[in-house]
Amino acid sequence: MNGALFYASLSTETNSFSDIPVTYADYTVDMRRGDDVVHDSAGKVRPGAELLLEFAADRSMELVTSLSASADPGAPTLDSAYARLRDEILEDLGSTPGVRAVFLGLHGAMMAQSCFDCEGDLLRRVREIVGPGIPIAAVLDPHAHLTDAMVTAADILVFMKEYPHTDGADRTREALAVTGELLDQELTLSSAVINCELLGFFPTNRSPMREFVDAMVQKETHPEVVSISFIHGFPWGDTPDVGSRVLVYTRDNPVLAQRLGESVRDEIWSIRDQTMFDTLTIEQALDRVDASGEGPRVFGDIADNPGGGAPGDSTFILAALVQRRLAKVVVGCLFDPDSVRQCHAAGVGSEVSLSVGGKLGEFSGQPVAATGVVKGLGRSVMMNVADAAEFPMGDTAWVQIDGIDLVLISTRTQTYAPHAFTHLGLELEDKAAIFVKSTNHFQAFFADLASEVGYVNTPGAIDFDLARIPYRHFNKPYYPRGEMP
Ligand SMILES: [Zn+2]
């Protein structure tokens, strides 16, 4: 064996304005160690792990997998939880002989109670253990806060370019290729970080972000360019480093890195007021359902997306649907463990009277009193997302309330893909409308099914009016707030 490739993964996306506490237990919902990171219980290689295995095999290196843990977004992680997770990774690293490279899966927007920059802190400590000369690479989510500490400690940070994040495998491949070149000592990297001084929302599946990403990929074909990332930022993280950044790595050409970074910044600046999608009010969305006849319209309940730290139990849309008595409508996945338990206790075919949702916080609305029939139940369900990823949903229940099919879950998660509904036997093709708790990721996985995709701007913890986010730790001007430099 030619030494070890050390892998670990730790992620969450912290919403400083969320009421949902994030504890160690929240990371145990999606936590693996050792061979379990690479293979599932049937011995099948897990999505994404094959790239690490191939890389290690090609170089006769041993793949050593430490902790892999992620928590659904919420408030800053408890300090004790962060320290325990971090220290497990660091102790594994310290006790692994012959580490030749470190590869990390990170988010980039993880905060603990007294740490604004968990990724920078973790990377710095990893560097202290391995010392200089050992490549440290990471793949991250673009909804991140890029900090000096992160760039200084790591050799190469590659952020996903697509939102919805469909390019994780491609970015992993790139980061591994750079790691390989660094191992062969054939590469000296220069980096440049450009602060775009703006906050925004940047779905890449529509114009003008589609063209922006394509142009960035085109710039990467320059022989001296190694990687260009546009870090969208995560506006609901209250840190001094919030905001969009460009990160460029070149082959030992700092001038080119700086110049390209500035040109990407100028491009995003020029389209800054066109990147957000159009939203509908609840009433506008329901009006469209009435007129429907050509397959389901799929609407994102964008402000109550647990994937951004919202509670996932808001009832604004459900209440409006009940009031209008619309039929052939699906709503989910609403986080309500008590109602799920009640459905499981009653059993399939039974009538239940529930007080649904509206329990977690000020953005949850009021509980909706509903009587319906339990149509399907699931135990410890993993939501399958295009065979590329899995997300725990806990126990699940499908309740039919007049014309509304409501899916309830007991583990908070964003509603990424149709499997969230179909695993219960709920068929979607003949529905008039489907309302999902997701901001934009759902678009990638429901598009085949949908006659139309829409975004409903409900009240919620993810306020899309970025000029009025009540920061306490970030006081510089940014678009769209304040006098611009
Ligand atoms: Zn993201």
Side-chain angles (χ1 to χ4, degrees):
M1 278 287 148
N2 214 347
L5 171 67
F6 182 90
Y7 175 81
S9 161
L10 179 60
S11 66
T12 193
E13 183 181 69
T14 299
N15 182 329
S16 304
F17 308 99
S18 170
D19 294 328
I20 314 288
V22 177
T23 67
Y24 188 82
D26 293 297
Y27 289 86
T28 63
V29 174
D30 187 16
M31 179 181 276
R32 292 187 263 278
R33 298 180 170 82
D35 188 60
D36 191 28
V37 174
V38 179
H39 296 104
D40 66 17
S41 53
K44 210 171 116 220
V45 176
R46 289 190 189 277
E50 72 278 5
L51 296 171
L52 297 164
L53 284 169
E54 271 168 33
F55 179 88
D58 283 353
R59 294 177 167 269
S60 303
M61 291 167 76
E62 184 192 2
L63 175 62
V64 174
T65 45
S66 174
L67 182 69
S68 170
S70 72
D72 243 25
T77 294
L78 295 187
D79 281 341
S80 58
Y82 170 57
R84 184 170 165 193
L85 296 159
R86 177 194 68 198
D87 291 349
E88 179 174 340
I89 293 170
L90 296 174
E91 279 160 29
D92 283 352
L93 178 62
S95 63
T96 302
V99 172
R100 292 191 56 221
V102 177
F103 198 90
L104 300 172
L106 302 173
H107 191 290
M110 179 176 181
M111 297 162 70
Q113 288 165 306
S114 13
C115 182
F116 285 128
D117 178 19
C118 293
E119 287 84 359
D121 178 59
L122 176 65
L123 285 162
R124 181 177 59 75
R125 291 168 191 262
V126 166
R127 176 61 75 198
E128 276 172 14
I129 291 171
V130 299
I134 299 291
I136 300 175
V139 172
L140 303 98
D141 190 290
H143 298 113
H145 317 295
L146 181 63
T147 65
D148 291 342
M150 290 162 67
V151 178
T152 303
D155 291 278
I156 176 86
L157 302 173
V158 178
F159 292 78
M160 285 183 271
K161 288 184 167 63
E162 301 293 344
Y163 177 39
H165 306 327
T166 51
D167 60 332
D170 289 337
R171 302 291 87 83
T172 299
R173 219 171 268 122
E174 284 171 18
L176 284 169
V178 177
T179 304
E181 282 196 70
L182 290 165
L183 278 171
D184 297 336
Q185 299 186 320
E186 283 168 359
L187 184 61
T188 303
L189 289 168
S190 298
S191 66
V193 177
I194 312 294
N195 185 345
C196 303
E197 290 166 333
L198 60 84
L199 295 178
F201 195 73
F202 308 100
T204 60
N205 44 12
R206 59 193 291 282
S207 189
M209 280 307 292
R210 183 67 260 148
E211 294 81 357
F212 171 86
V213 171
D214 292 343
M216 190 162 60
V217 170
Q218 185 59 34
K219 287 187 171 76
E220 284 181 319
T221 60
H222 188 295
E224 286 185 82
V225 174
V226 173
S227 168
I228 306 177
S229 290
F230 171 61
I231 295 99
H232 298 196
F234 184 65
W236 303 279
D238 186 2
T239 134
D241 292 298
V242 71
S244 302
R245 304 280 189 281
V246 183
L247 173 63
V248 183
Y249 292 98
T250 59
R251 295 177 186 276
D252 203 13
N253 189 338
V255 176
L256 177 67
Q258 181 71 22
R259 185 166 59 74
L260 280 177
E262 288 172 3
S263 78
V264 173
R265 174 200 61 195
D266 292 348
E267 279 160 33
I268 199 69
W269 189 256
S270 71
I271 58 172
R272 67 192 181 281
D273 56 354
Q274 304 158 38
T275 62
M276 176 70 182
F277 42 60
D278 296 330
T279 59
L280 303 165
T281 64
I282 294 176
E283 291 307 310
Q284 286 169 333
L286 299 200
D287 288 346
R288 288 182 185 238
V289 178
D290 286 338
S292 165
E294 56 202 80
R297 290 157 199 266
V298 183
F299 297 99
D301 180 353
I302 63 174
D304 192 35
N305 171 16
D313 78 331
S314 90
T315 54
F316 302 106
I317 288 175
L318 179 64
L321 286 168
V322 168
Q323 201 180 17
R324 279 228 208 167
R325 300 180 155 272
L326 289 184
K328 290 169 71 176
V329 172
V330 178
V331 183
C333 297
L334 198 141
F335 172 64
D336 190 336
D338 285 341
S339 293
V340 171
R341 253 193 303 277
Q342 232 179 301
C343 293
H344 276 258
V348 173
S350 306
E351 191 175 272
V352 284
S353 288
L354 305 171
S355 171
V356 177
K359 293 164 188 145
L360 279 181
E362 61 171 312
F363 299 115
S364 297
Q366 296 298 316
V368 171
T371 298
V373 176
V374 179
K375 300 288 286 182
L377 298 168
R379 283 273 184 215
S380 302
V381 177
M382 297 294 287
M383 187 195 318
N384 184 294
V385 180
D387 287 326
E390 293 184 315
F391 296 90
M393 306 171 75
D395 294 344
T396 60
W398 163 23
V399 192
Q400 206 164 52
I401 304 159
D402 294 328
I404 302 167
D405 291 296
L406 173 66
V407 170
L408 303 164
I409 56 177
S410 62
T411 296
R412 272 176 73 239
T413 182
Q414 177 168 191
T415 306
Y416 290 93
H419 186 244
F421 303 111
T422 57
H423 79 273
L424 289 160
L426 172 51
E427 286 177 16
L428 302 175
E429 280 76 9
D430 63 339
K431 299 297 176 188
I434 307 168
F435 291 87
V436 300
K437 298 230 177 258
S438 172
T439 304
N440 193 40
H441 283 305
F442 76 98
Q443 194 278 346
F445 308 106
F446 281 89
D448 285 349
L449 181 85
S451 61
E452 180 194 0
V453 167
Y455 303 88
V456 188
N457 202 359
T458 46
I462 313 175
D463 188 341
F464 283 85
D465 185 345
L466 302 179
R468 67 179 181 196
I469 296 180
Y471 293 113
R472 288 170 52 229
H473 303 289
F474 175 59
N475 52 21
K476 299 197 187 81
Y478 62 89
Y479 175 83
R481 180 164 81 189
E483 286 291 308
M484 290 315 301

PDB file of all heavy atoms in Angstrom, residues 13 141 143 165, ligand 1:
ATOM      1  N   GLU A  13     -26.361  23.290   7.229  1.00  0.00           N
ATOM      2  CA  GLU A  13     -26.451  24.657   6.707  1.00  0.00           C
ATOM      3  C   GLU A  13     -27.163  25.461   7.791  1.00  0.00           C
ATOM      4  O   GLU A  13     -28.356  25.285   8.013  1.00  0.00           O
ATOM      5  CB  GLU A  13     -27.257  24.631   5.411  1.00  0.00           C
ATOM      6  CG  GLU A  13     -27.389  25.945   4.700  1.00  0.00           C
ATOM      7  CD  GLU A  13     -28.232  25.764   3.441  1.00  0.00           C
ATOM      8  OE1 GLU A  13     -29.439  25.520   3.540  1.00  0.00           O
ATOM      9  OE2 GLU A  13     -27.670  25.831   2.342  1.00  0.00           O
ATOM     10  N   ASP A 141     -20.849  22.877  -0.781  1.00  0.00           N
ATOM     11  CA  ASP A 141     -22.114  23.397  -1.301  1.00  0.00           C
ATOM     12  C   ASP A 141     -21.927  24.892  -1.613  1.00  0.00           C
ATOM     13  O   ASP A 141     -21.252  25.588  -0.856  1.00  0.00           O
ATOM     14  CB  ASP A 141     -23.165  23.220  -0.197  1.00  0.00           C
ATOM     15  CG  ASP A 141     -24.577  23.492  -0.655  1.00  0.00           C
ATOM     16  OD1 ASP A 141     -24.904  24.673  -0.928  1.00  0.00           O
ATOM     17  OD2 ASP A 141     -25.363  22.524  -0.705  1.00  0.00           O
ATOM     18  N   HIS A 143     -23.972  27.223  -1.212  1.00  0.00           N
ATOM     19  CA  HIS A 143     -24.633  28.054  -0.194  1.00  0.00           C
ATOM     20  C   HIS A 143     -23.749  28.093   1.043  1.00  0.00           C
ATOM     21  O   HIS A 143     -24.083  27.562   2.099  1.00  0.00           O
ATOM     22  CB  HIS A 143     -26.021  27.499   0.114  1.00  0.00           C
ATOM     23  CG  HIS A 143     -26.910  27.524  -1.086  1.00  0.00           C
ATOM     24  ND1 HIS A 143     -27.361  26.400  -1.713  1.00  0.00           N
ATOM     25  CD2 HIS A 143     -27.381  28.582  -1.799  1.00  0.00           C
ATOM     26  CE1 HIS A 143     -28.101  26.750  -2.761  1.00  0.00           C
ATOM     27  NE2 HIS A 143     -28.124  28.066  -2.836  1.00  0.00           N
ATOM     28  N   HIS A 165     -28.423  21.185  -6.802  1.00  0.00           N
ATOM     29  CA  HIS A 165     -27.059  20.652  -6.757  1.00  0.00           C
ATOM     30  C   HIS A 165     -26.988  19.277  -7.407  1.00  0.00           C
ATOM     31  O   HIS A 165     -27.006  18.258  -6.741  1.00  0.00           O
ATOM     32  CB  HIS A 165     -26.586  20.558  -5.320  1.00  0.00           C
ATOM     33  CG  HIS A 165     -26.705  21.847  -4.560  1.00  0.00           C
ATOM     34  ND1 HIS A 165     -26.544  23.078  -5.161  1.00  0.00           N
ATOM     35  CD2 HIS A 165     -26.960  22.098  -3.265  1.00  0.00           C
ATOM     36  CE1 HIS A 165     -26.711  24.029  -4.242  1.00  0.00           C
ATOM     37  NE2 HIS A 165     -26.966  23.462  -3.087  1.00  0.00           N
TER      38      HIS A 165
HETATM   39 ZN    ZN B   1     -27.103  24.434  -1.197  1.00  0.00          ZN
END
